[in-house]
Amino acid sequence: MSTYVPSMNSQQSPNPNRATSRVRVLKLSPTGAISRVNGIIRGLFSKVKKKQTDGRGSILHDNSTGKDYKCVPINSLPDDVLLEIFNYRLLFAVPYGPKDDMLKWHRLTRVCKRWRYLIFASPRRLDLQLLCTYGTPVRRALDCWPALPIRIQYGEVSEFNPPTLKDEDNIFAALEHPVRTYEIQLSLTKSLFDKLAALKQQPFPVLEHFSLISHDGGELSVLPSTILCESAPRLRVLLFNGIPFPMLPKFLLSTKDLVDLRLENIPSAGYFSPESLVTSLSGMTQLKMLYIDFASPSSRPNQRSLPPLRRSVLSTLTQFIFRGTSEYLEDVVAGIDAPALGYFHVKLFNQLIFDVPQLYQFISRTENLRVPSRARLDSFENGVSITLVQPVGTDTPGHLSLWIPCKPFDWQVSSLAEICNQCSTLFSRVEQLKIIRHFPLPGRQEEIGATEWLELFRPFTTVSNLYVSDYLGPLVAHALEDAADGPVMEVLPALRLLRFRDSRESAPVEKFVTARQLPDQPTLDVRYGYLPLWKYGIFQ
C-alpha cells in the first residue's frame, strides 16, 4: 500500500471531535478505506503544504505553526497508531447515532489481514459490538463473527415498529447468549411479551441497557418478578414504557449502579407505592436521571404517609421528571434529597385542590432550584405551566417547571395562584415575570375577576419587570386598575417596567400608575405593542 499519512506523536494527536464532524456515510472498498484514512488525517492540517519529497517519504510544512510533519506509508504505521485511528472512528463515525457506527466497523476488517487481526485483537479498546436488529440473520452472524458483545435493538419509544415473527426468532437466538448481551431494547407485541415472560431466566452479567416498550400496555399481563433473574449487576440504563411491573422496586434493589431510570406511561396494573420506590432508590449512588410517569390518575397512594425520619440522599441526581398525582409526588419528595438537581419537571394530573408542602421543602433543599430569578407563566388550551430559571451563564443553572392540565382559563389562574402562594418563599428573588397566553381565549372572560389575578401576583414581591402577552392585557390591566382602590403598593411592590403586547386602548393602567406615584418610589414605566425585550434588558 503506497498511500501516505502524516505521522504523529502523542503531543500531536488529532482532535476526535473535529475529525468525526467531517465524515459522511460511505460504502468503502479496501482502497477507499485507505484513501479515507489518508484524506481525513490530512484534513486535520488545513494549512499544511508539501515541502519536499525524497525516497523515504514526504515532508509537510504547517504555515500556521511553522512545524514540519513527516509522512510515511500507511502500512509502516505502528499498531498503536493504527488503533488510535480506528478508535477515533475516522472511517465509520456518522451523524446518525451509534447504531450506524456499529454497522461500519466490520468493513475495516476487509482491508487486509493485518487490519483484521488488529481489530479482532482489540475488541474492548475499539468498543466492538454486534448489532441484532430488524432483518439481521442473527444465528449466521453469531457463527461467523468472534464472541463480541451483543446489542439487541428492536423498536423505539417514539415510533411503534413491532418485530415480525421472524424477528422474534432472531431475538431469542440472541438471548441464548446472556453472558454476551450488552443491550436489550424491545418494542413488545403481545406474543413477544408472552414468550419473554415464559423464557427460562438466567443472569445477564454484562447487560448495561435494558428497555421494554409497549404501545398498548392494557393488553399485557403483569411482567413476572423473575425477569433477568434479578441478576444484572452492571445495568446502567433501565427504561420501561407502558410495562405493568408492580414488582419493580424489588427488582431495583439489585441494580444499584443505575445511571438512568425511566419508568414511562406506567399502567394501573403496574402501580407500586411511593414508599417502596424511595426504598429502592436509597442505595443508588450513581443515578443521574429519574423519570416517573403514570398513565392514569388512579395511581395514587391509598393513604398519605408521614414524612420519614431519615431521607435518602441521591447526591448524583441532576434530572427528575414526574407525572402523576400531587399525593404521590409529595410522598416521594418527602423521602429524598437531591442536592445536585438542576432540571426538575412536574406534570400533575387535574384535581380540585393542590396541597404540596413537601414539594416546596424538597425544592428548598436543592441549591440550583431554590433561588430562581426569572419566572414564566404559560397558558395553553389544555393546561397551564410555571417555569422558574436562572439566567444563562450563572454559576448555579437550574430549571424548574410545573404543568397543570386544565382547560377553563379561570381554573388555570386559580390553580397557579394556589401553587404559587403555597411556595411563596420560592419566589422571593424573582425579578422578571413573563405571562403568556398561546391561544385566543374562548368567548368573553369577564368572569375572571381581579381577585384571582391579585392572588396570583401576591408572592411576586421582588418582580421589577413584568411582560404580558396578547389576549391577557385587558384582564391584567383590569386587575391592576382594581388594585389602585386599595393598598396599591402591596401588589408587585418592586415593579418598575410593565410591558403589554396589547395596545394602550385595550389595556389601560393609568389609574394604577397614578396611585403608585409616591415621593419615595421610582416611576413605573409602562409600554405597549411589540418591541424586542432585550432592548430593556429583560428575558434574554
Side-chain angles (χ1 to χ4, degrees):
M1 291 181 285
S2 60
T3 302
Y4 289 89
V5 297
S7 62
M8 290 171 283
N9 55 33
S10 58
Q11 286 75 31
Q12 298 169 340
S13 60
N15 183 334
N17 294 329
R18 182 179 177 186
T20 56
S21 66
R22 300 173 60 89
V23 183
R24 298 293 183 270
V25 181
L26 292 177
K27 294 183 178 180
L28 298 176
S29 63
T31 303
I34 298 169
S35 176
R36 193 62 176 162
V37 171
N38 180 37
I40 292 175
I41 295 182
R42 288 196 181 217
L44 297 173
F45 305 93
S46 58
K47 296 184 179 180
V48 170
K49 295 183 178 180
K50 183 178 291 188
K51 186 176 181 180
Q52 65 184 50
T53 303
D54 54 28
R56 294 168 296 179
S58 300
I59 300 295
L60 300 182
H61 180 73
D62 189 342
N63 294 329
S64 62
T65 63
K67 294 182 178 180
D68 290 340
Y69 296 92
K70 181 182 178 181
C71 292
V72 296
I74 192 171
N75 62 341
S76 67
L77 291 177
D79 290 351
D80 59 338
V81 174
L82 274 178
L83 285 174
E84 282 300 308
I85 295 173
F86 298 156
N87 201 34
Y88 286 144
R89 302 184 179 185
L90 297 179
L91 290 174
F92 46 93
V94 293
Y96 306 112
K99 183 183 294 187
D100 293 289
D101 292 350
M102 289 183 287
L103 295 174
K104 304 297 186 294
W105 64 262
H106 67 277
R107 292 174 180 166
L108 299 177
T109 64
R110 300 171 183 171
V111 173
C112 63
K113 290 182 179 180
R114 181 190 175 201
W115 284 26
R116 183 182 182 89
Y117 173 81
L118 273 178
I119 291 170
F120 287 153
S122 309
R124 289 192 176 184
R125 181 172 178 177
L126 300 178
D127 193 24
L128 301 185
Q129 299 154 8
L130 295 177
L131 176 63
C132 301
T133 188
Y134 300 97
T136 303
V138 172
R139 295 189 186 278
R140 187 176 68 184
L142 295 179
D143 289 340
C144 68
W145 292 103
L148 299 173
I150 298 172
R151 284 180 179 264
I152 306 173
Q153 292 185 350
Y154 292 81
E156 301 286 345
V157 173
S158 59
E159 181 181 358
F160 183 53
N161 186 15
T164 64
L165 290 178
K166 187 174 182 179
D167 287 328
E168 290 184 13
D169 292 338
N170 285 322
I171 289 171
F172 287 97
L175 289 175
E176 292 175 1
H177 303 269
V179 296
R180 294 169 53 190
T181 303
Y182 174 84
E183 176 181 347
I184 300 174
Q185 181 173 312
L186 301 177
S187 184
L188 297 181
T189 59
K190 183 66 166 60
S191 63
L192 180 57
F193 181 90
D194 293 340
K195 292 177 184 177
L196 187 66
L199 186 67
K200 181 181 178 180
Q201 305 302 321
Q202 49 191 324
F204 285 76
V206 299
L207 185 67
E208 293 193 8
H209 186 132
F210 185 36
S211 298
L212 296 180
I213 305 159
S214 170
H215 288 264
D216 192 1
E219 293 187 358
L220 303 182
S221 56
V222 173
L223 196 67
S225 59
T226 55
I227 189 70
L228 297 186
C229 197
E230 298 182 8
S231 180
R234 293 179 56 182
L235 195 63
R236 307 278 287 173
V237 178
L238 177 63
L239 187 154
F240 283 172
N241 186 294
I243 304 298
F245 190 27
M247 298 303 294
L248 176 80
K250 180 181 178 182
F251 172 75
L252 292 178
L253 292 175
S254 62
T255 57
K256 295 303 183 181
D257 291 334
L258 276 181
V259 174
D260 193 335
L261 174 60
R262 301 175 189 240
L263 310 173
E264 305 176 16
N265 198 28
I266 304 169
S268 298
Y271 174 82
F272 43 83
S273 70
E275 295 83 8
S276 62
L277 176 63
V278 169
T279 300
S280 66
L281 296 176
S282 60
M284 295 186 182
T285 58
Q286 302 180 53
L287 189 65
K288 295 182 179 180
M289 172 66 179
L290 177 61
Y291 194 134
I292 308 296
D293 173 24
F294 289 98
S296 167
S298 62
S299 297
R300 65 176 71 235
N302 294 326
Q303 59 182 8
R304 298 297 304 277
S305 303
L306 294 175
L309 298 178
R310 184 177 180 180
R311 293 185 293 269
S312 300
V313 180
L314 305 180
S315 58
T316 58
L317 188 67
T318 58
Q319 298 184 65
F320 183 13
I321 300 174
F322 175 87
R323 184 178 73 148
T325 64
S326 61
E327 297 92 337
Y328 198 102
L329 176 63
E330 284 282 287
D331 285 348
V332 170
V333 297
I336 62 175
D337 281 344
L341 190 65
Y343 181 89
F344 187 24
H345 177 74
V346 175
K347 185 175 183 179
L348 298 177
F349 286 120
N350 199 358
Q351 54 195 86
L352 293 175
I353 300 176
F354 296 97
D355 186 20
V356 289
Q358 293 299 331
L359 175 62
Y360 167 68
Q361 293 295 331
F362 172 74
I363 296 172
S364 66
R365 298 191 299 267
T366 305
E367 180 66 28
N368 294 343
L369 302 178
R370 65 184 182 184
V371 286
S373 64
R374 300 184 181 189
R376 172 171 169 153
L377 311 180
D378 289 270
S379 171
F380 300 88
E381 287 185 315
N382 61 342
V384 63
S385 69
I386 179 169
T387 304
L388 302 174
V389 297
Q390 291 283 19
V392 177
T394 57
D395 295 333
T396 56
H399 181 104
L400 167 64
S401 60
L402 173 66
W403 168 269
I404 303 172
C406 54
K407 290 186 176 181
F409 184 67
D410 58 335
W411 197 346
Q412 293 183 4
V413 176
S414 60
S415 297
L416 279 179
E418 185 179 3
I419 294 289
C420 292
N421 280 281
Q422 286 190 45
C423 305
S424 58
T425 308
L426 182 63
F427 304 98
S428 60
R429 298 188 185 180
V430 172
E431 298 176 355
Q432 300 172 8
L433 175 62
K434 196 172 185 180
I435 307 176
I436 298 177
R437 172 69 185 184
H438 294 270
F439 298 93
L441 292 170
R444 300 177 64 85
Q445 297 291 329
E446 284 83 357
E447 68 274 11
I448 306 175
T451 304
E452 288 84 354
W453 284 105
L454 298 182
E455 192 68 19
L456 175 60
F457 291 145
R458 184 184 301 277
F460 294 96
T461 57
T462 57
V463 167
S464 59
N465 300 322
L466 172 62
Y467 172 79
V468 183
S469 78
D470 309 65
Y471 316 122
L472 299 181
L475 297 175
V476 173
H478 172 70
L480 295 179
E481 290 286 83
D482 190 74
D485 295 330
V488 67
M489 293 308 300
E490 293 183 4
V491 180
L492 302 172
L495 189 62
R496 299 294 175 263
L497 174 61
L498 176 57
R499 178 74 187 168
F500 287 104
R501 183 65 177 84
D502 292 289
S503 65
R504 183 185 300 272
E505 292 74 18
S506 62
V509 288
E510 285 78 6
K511 184 178 177 181
F512 176 72
V513 173
T514 302
R516 301 266 299 208
Q517 291 179 349
L518 302 177
D520 58 340
Q521 294 294 330
T523 303
L524 175 60
D525 186 12
V526 182
R527 296 184 179 266
Y528 295 89
Y530 173 78
L531 197 65
L533 296 177
W534 57 263
K535 190 170 183 179
Y536 293 97
I538 62 175
F539 310 121
Q540 295 183 31

